[in-house]
Amino acid sequence: MTPAPVKSLVSKELLEQLDIRIGTILAVDDVSGSDKLVALRVNFGDHQRTIVAGLKKERADPQEIVGKQALFVVNLEPRKMRGVVSEGMLFDLGYADGITPVLALPERPVPDGTRAG
């Protein structure tokens, strides 16, 4: 596979507007009426959030990610999907390149809520 071209340059200030944090996935629940969406319950240390992600078709068993830490964008506007409000976005690897996505994991456990960057 040839990597996709690098996107247009952005300023450091624009990049700093994104709030990307580590969270531990506590639960993965089915989103009723959807063939691809699940609702992740994620711990960010001082609070928990629901983050909706399209994992059903990407994994044989979405429950396998329970207990794992991953990267999440936490300062997106909440968005309702199939009746569930998503309070962020899972930051996974591979989806945009057409390969089966994997989680972006820290090399060792870090406190939930730790910021990337």
Side-chain angles (χ1 to χ4, degrees):
M1 181 190 115
T2 303
V6 174
K7 293 180 180 181
S8 302
L9 297 176
V10 297
S11 68
K12 188 171 190 276
E13 292 77 21
L14 182 60
L15 179 62
E16 288 176 352
Q17 290 180 28
L18 288 178
D19 193 346
I20 301 170
R21 296 185 184 234
I22 288 290
T24 297
I25 300 165
L26 302 175
V28 177
D29 298 314
D30 190 59
V31 172
S32 181
S34 174
D35 61 349
K36 66 179 184 172
L37 298 176
V38 295
L40 308 176
R41 192 76 193 140
V42 183
N43 182 24
F44 290 101
D46 62 345
H47 70 285
Q48 295 180 10
R49 290 182 181 212
T50 297
I51 296 182
V52 177
L55 298 179
K56 280 187 194 175
K57 291 187 175 182
E58 297 171 1
R59 298 176 179 277
D61 180 12
Q63 296 298 321
E64 70 189 4
I65 64 172
V66 172
K68 293 189 182 284
Q69 288 191 309
L71 287 172
F72 297 87
V73 180
V74 297
N75 65 332
L76 295 175
E77 289 186 23
R79 180 176 166 207
K80 190 178 256 188
M81 292 186 267
R82 295 284 179 157
V84 179
V85 176
S86 183
E87 303 168 289
M89 183 181 82
L90 174 64
F91 202 83
D92 62 3
L93 307 170
Y95 178 79
D97 293 315
I99 61 174
T100 301
V102 296
L103 299 180
L105 304 172
E107 66 179 272
R108 64 181 171 271
V110 295
D112 288 329
T114 298
R115 293 181 293 162

